[in-house]
Amino acid sequence: GNDSNRRNPFILPEYACQRATCLKHYNHKFTRALEILQNHAELRDNEHDSSRALAFRRASCVLKSLPFPLTSMSQLKKLTNIGDHCKRVIQEILEDGECSEVTKLQDDWFHKMVVFTSIFGIGSATAKKWIEKGWSTIKEAQEGHISSDWRVKWAFHSDLNTPVKLQEAQYIQQIVRKEAETILPGIILQITGGFRRGKEEGHDIDILMTHPEDGKEVGFLARLLHRLQNKGIILCGNLEKSTYSDDMLTLDSKLSAKGQLDHFEKWLGIIKIPQSCSETPARDDSGSLSNIGSCDHKGINSVAHPTSNTASEQPLNYQPFNLHESFEDLESKAKKQKLGTENELSPMELAKLDRNWIARRVDLIVSPYNQYFYALVGWTGNKQFNRDIRTYAQKELGMKLSSHGLYDLNKNCALPARSEKEVFENLKLQYLEPWERNC
Ligand code: GTP
Ligand code: MN
Ligand code: MN
């Protein structure tokens, strides 16, 4: 009617970093369909060619920014980033309420791919191979992978596929903060990722850390991990040393090793947290923090970590993999419960075992202070926002943006930032709040 005429044709800035994109918007029925197409393209296409997938995502992202529900194709006339394929999809949804192509895509193959790629560490290439072998369920994949490494993985699979709640993220932040402040007073610690963008659930907990005094952060992460390990809450993880050097500000990010988005020192791992902490809000006193200790008292993780004692003051004793120890705890408890049974327990049985903790994926990242606000933007995301703002910097300003900084390729100089707002200023962009970066 009149309303849609008034909005016809509607204009939006070309780049997502030039407009707000929020979790709640007016066009979910279109964006859901476009993101299924994106997801399918990601799974089907070669991992090194994401162009089809990204075209769907960019179109979806435009619709998320529209300040009204789309009701006619004419409203799309002046919008960029919506190609012919996406237009057909949108038109069909406008006319029929759904798009037949999207319905057809959600076949057996797609569902199997979604299930397999939901396993931590399994990408589309492996998932495809499994399907070629004729597997279609987690159970079949489990039966095909029975080495001890895999048994450990399977035992935590259902935990890691249960969404992480905001409360759990805040709980982990409290634990990490308490240990971090003991090692390095004045440390700055920030939850980033989806929770910072306002999501109530996520697949992991991202925590970015820095210290305002230059150089204080060096060696800090290993000491932090050592303390967390002594608390008995680390299941497994991988500490990656910083690989940063100043010339990386100018280098093309695509040249970096496969899958690596930045060069910070970081730990990607799995931590156990009390199951109760997603029910009762965590309190900021030691009583609540010792919750984790109560896991041990109940005998679930009673194996002492051999490095625990005063060694926490020494720099490096962090042992990257003690997952097997925790796993053996689980198994021995299971055997006690099933007294008399000599049969091996299946990973499913182990996962369902009565225990008072749940395994959670945690990313801990350490940045030097002079890169911190760029790191904050990068680790807040989302991923699509990062792609967009980096492309914008390159194409519109001739600047190279990364989580380490911003470099003017014409003037050959770096542009430092002392706040997130300054990052946006340096990029000649209006500031967007974290929750406006849900592209
Ligand atoms: P959920 O965890 O599913 O809630 O979403 P998320 O947005 O938090 O995603 P994720 O934890 O994978 O990443 C958080 C943000 O960090 C994203 O915007 C990533 O693009 C960004 N990021 C920056 N550097 C890296 C990196 O080296 N590895 C990963 N995985 N993400 C990075
Ligand atoms: Mn995350
Ligand atoms: Mn993460």
Side-chain angles (χ1 to χ4, degrees):
N2 285 338
D3 208 27
S4 69
N5 285 338
R6 194 160 44 76
R7 288 156 175 168
N8 178 20
F10 195 80
I11 300 173
L12 279 177
E14 178 178 358
Y15 291 94
C17 57
Q18 296 169 310
R19 53 183 202 244
T21 313
C22 300
L23 287 169
K24 279 190 187 156
H25 55 82
Y26 295 97
N27 291 292
H28 288 283
K29 74 176 166 187
F30 305 102
T31 60
R32 252 196 306 272
L34 292 169
E35 284 176 26
I36 289 169
L37 286 158
Q38 178 205 356
N39 203 340
H40 189 274
E42 274 168 359
L43 294 172
R44 199 203 71 180
D45 295 355
N46 185 306
E47 276 172 303
H48 302 287
D49 179 19
S50 49
S51 55
R52 242 167 37 96
L54 290 180
F56 291 125
R57 184 58 175 233
R58 276 193 299 272
S60 165
C61 194
V62 170
L63 298 186
K64 288 180 194 173
S65 294
L66 268 191
F68 56 87
L70 193 70
T71 52
S72 99
M73 291 304 282
S74 59
Q75 293 164 332
L76 295 177
K77 255 184 208 148
K78 292 259 163 114
L79 299 180
T80 53
N81 287 312
I82 304 180
D84 288 341
H85 191 163
C86 293
K87 283 201 173 116
R88 284 201 305 275
V89 173
I90 294 165
Q91 182 155 20
E92 222 184 301
I93 296 173
L94 277 173
E95 288 166 3
D96 308 337
E98 64 168 26
C99 167
S100 56
E101 185 194 354
V102 175
T103 312
K104 274 187 221 134
L105 280 185
Q106 292 166 279
D107 59 4
D108 273 2
W109 181 85
F110 183 70
H111 286 298
K112 287 177 207 169
M113 287 296 282
V114 169
V115 166
F116 287 153
T117 55
S118 75
I119 301 162
F120 181 44
I122 299 302
S124 61
T126 307
K128 281 176 193 165
K129 281 183 202 147
W130 289 2
I131 293 175
E132 279 164 26
K133 286 187 189 187
W135 298 346
S136 51
T137 60
I138 292 278
K139 197 162 175 280
E140 280 167 320
Q142 283 178 345
E143 284 159 3
H145 295 92
I146 52 171
S147 67
S148 66
D149 273 3
W150 276 95
R151 280 176 59 74
V152 168
K153 266 196 176 185
W154 297 125
F156 301 113
H157 172 68
S158 67
D159 282 17
L160 299 185
N161 269 281
T162 311
V164 183
K165 301 272 192 316
L166 175 61
Q167 269 179 7
E168 295 176 279
Q170 288 165 341
Y171 182 89
I172 287 285
Q173 186 191 30
Q174 258 183 54
I175 304 267
V176 173
R177 171 169 281 139
K178 187 179 172 236
E179 300 304 318
E181 279 173 350
T182 311
I183 302 169
L184 195 53
I187 185 123
I188 296 168
L189 198 139
Q190 173 72 55
I191 293 182
T192 61
F195 289 116
R196 184 159 188 254
R197 300 194 312 273
K199 282 172 65 180
E200 280 166 15
E201 287 183 353
H203 96 283
D204 71 352
I205 298 150
D206 307 286
I207 298 178
L208 176 65
M209 292 171 283
T210 189
H211 194 283
E213 262 175 79
D214 231 16
K216 283 271 193 187
E217 78 285 352
V218 176
F220 159 76
L221 189 53
R223 295 178 68 196
L224 174 67
L225 289 164
H226 184 78
R227 289 184 74 97
L228 294 173
Q229 190 165 42
N230 285 348
K231 284 178 81 76
I233 63 170
I234 289 184
L235 284 165
C236 73
N238 202 5
L239 177 59
E240 290 172 33
K241 291 271 145 204
S242 165
T243 51
Y244 178 79
S245 65
D246 280 336
D247 58 0
M248 275 157 194
L249 271 186
T250 54
L251 280 179
D252 188 341
S253 60
K254 280 168 197 135
L255 295 178
S256 75
K258 187 181 164 252
Q260 206 184 11
L261 295 173
D262 64 48
H263 300 272
F264 291 119
E265 184 176 24
K266 56 173 96 67
W267 181 82
L268 313 184
I270 303 176
I271 278 181
K272 54 182 174 182
I273 70 172
Q275 250 158 5
S276 58
C277 88
S278 60
E279 292 139 26
T280 30
R283 281 174 299 120
D284 204 6
D285 60 35
S286 55
S288 152
L289 294 177
S290 65
N291 243 344
I292 283 282
S294 74
C295 292
D296 299 67
H297 296 146
K298 284 171 190 163
I300 288 159
N301 182 42
S302 54
V303 171
H305 293 273
T307 48
S308 72
N309 52 29
T310 52
S312 59
E313 284 314 307
Q314 290 161 16
L316 247 171
N317 244 336
Y318 168 65
Q319 311 246 317
F321 285 99
N322 64 342
L323 180 51
H324 289 265
E325 265 177 28
S326 304
F327 183 67
E328 279 157 22
D329 298 344
L330 259 188
E331 283 201 308
S332 66
K333 183 184 177 192
K335 283 189 181 135
K336 269 181 224 156
Q337 279 189 356
K338 285 192 135 193
L339 219 60
T341 325
E342 274 311 304
N343 292 339
E344 275 223 338
L345 287 140
S346 76
M348 291 290 200
E349 285 176 295
L350 279 171
K352 281 190 203 129
L353 205 66
D354 178 34
R355 52 185 156 96
N356 61 354
W357 53 266
I358 183 164
R360 270 16 192 134
R361 273 274 300 109
V362 175
D363 290 343
L364 302 174
I365 306 97
V366 175
S367 154
Y369 193 68
N370 63 8
Q371 299 172 18
Y372 176 70
F373 295 100
Y374 287 101
L376 187 54
V377 170
W379 276 89
T380 297
N382 64 7
K383 208 171 173 180
Q384 182 60 21
F385 177 82
N386 285 346
R387 283 192 197 107
D388 180 87
I389 196 171
R390 286 169 195 201
T391 307
Y392 160 86
Q394 182 85 46
K395 286 202 183 156
E396 302 300 316
L397 308 175
M399 292 184 189
K400 166 80 200 303
L401 172 69
S402 72
S403 289
H404 299 284
L406 180 64
Y407 194 88
D408 188 323
L409 296 162
N410 300 314
K411 293 184 186 155
N412 280 312
C413 65
L415 287 90
R418 278 154 301 167
S419 69
E420 233 179 356
K421 294 214 163 77
E422 263 188 38
V423 172
F424 282 80
E425 275 170 37
N426 289 344
L427 287 160
K428 304 175 187 7
L429 289 170
Q430 255 180 13
Y431 180 68
L432 289 176
E433 297 289 350
W435 56 88
E436 297 172 324
R437 305 177 206 162
N438 285 293
C439 298

